[in-house]
Amino acid sequence: MNDLVVLGTHNSYKLAMPTARMDALRAADANSADALHYAHRPLVEQLDAGARQLELDIWYDPRGGLYADGSTDPAMLQPGFKVQHMAEFDNRSNCLTLV
């Protein structure tokens, strides 16, 4: 295993933060804003481009709606496992649930 190399992505599901939220973060902490200012293509596109390792951050939502953050997407209102970086802050995802 010492010589194994796999092409992959970190926070593979991540979409860009909303502009207003990013602007507020940049005003408070420019270094953190720089570190969080990125997004990835959908998971299937990453795999088609050669990625063989995907990282998903999973948040348990036993009743549903816990991480909806104003979303009306039915998937976010159902119980289950949600995929996002930081709840209520950096939570935009191209893969909302782990099914």
Side-chain angles (χ1 to χ4, degrees):
M1 295 294 260
N2 290 339
D3 295 314
L4 183 65
V5 176
V6 178
L7 179 63
T9 56
H10 177 73
N11 297 331
S12 306
Y13 51 85
K14 189 177 179 319
L15 295 176
M17 291 173 63
T19 302
R21 192 172 293 169
M22 181 54 71
D23 289 347
L25 177 59
R26 186 166 305 288
D29 184 347
N31 289 334
S32 290
D34 289 343
L36 293 173
H37 189 61
Y38 67 96
H40 288 295
R41 294 182 288 172
L43 299 179
V44 171
E45 287 184 25
Q46 292 178 56
L47 292 169
D48 287 346
R52 291 299 173 258
Q53 177 273 326
L54 301 174
E55 184 221 5
L56 305 175
D57 291 320
I58 309 302
W59 298 69
Y60 183 47
D61 182 2
R63 293 184 184 89
L66 182 61
Y67 304 111
D69 191 30
S71 174
T72 57
D73 188 304
M76 294 302 287
L77 302 175
Q78 297 298 314
F81 295 94
K82 307 308 190 297
V83 180
Q84 60 184 326
H85 191 221
M86 294 181 229
E88 299 181 14
F89 185 70
D90 187 10
N91 57 351
R92 295 193 63 231
S93 175
N94 62 38
C95 170
L96 294 176
T97 61
L98 178 68
V99 179

